[in-house]
Amino acid sequence: MQVSVRDNNVDQALRALKKKMQREGIFRELKLRGAYEKPSEKRARQKAEAIRRARKLARKRMQREG
C-alpha cells in the first residue's frame, strides 16, 4: 500500500493511509489476529458476517428494483 506525500503534508498522507487501510479491512484483521479465537467463535463470527453480507446485498437489490 502506498500513499504519496504532497507539499510535505504528512498529516494529510497519514489520513489517506488510514482511510485506505480501513477500506481494505486491515484494522479488523489486526484485531482478530491479536488474540486467539476459538474455532466455535470463529464459525459464529463467519456465519454472522455472511448473514450481514446477504442482508446488505438483498437491501441493495430491493433498492435497485423498486
Side-chain angles (χ1 to χ4, degrees):
M1 194 169 297
Q2 189 174 6
V3 176
S4 60
V5 178
R6 288 182 242 144
D7 301 327
N8 287 332
N9 195 346
V10 178
D11 293 329
Q12 185 179 8
L14 191 59
R15 276 198 306 271
L17 177 65
K18 284 182 180 179
K19 193 179 287 186
K20 278 187 177 184
M21 291 173 71
Q22 182 72 31
R23 252 186 260 130
E24 292 291 323
I26 293 175
F27 292 126
R28 191 173 350 115
E29 182 100 11
L30 284 174
K31 184 181 175 186
L32 288 173
R33 291 176 186 254
Y36 179 74
E37 186 176 23
K38 288 173 34 178
S40 60
E41 292 173 348
K42 185 176 181 179
R43 279 192 306 271
R45 178 182 52 80
Q46 287 175 340
K47 186 176 180 181
E49 287 174 359
I51 291 170
R52 208 172 300 121
R53 279 193 307 271
R55 284 183 183 159
K56 184 176 180 180
L57 186 64
R59 270 198 313 272
K60 285 188 175 187
R61 278 190 193 141
M62 289 299 291
Q63 190 177 23
R64 261 188 258 130
E65 292 174 2

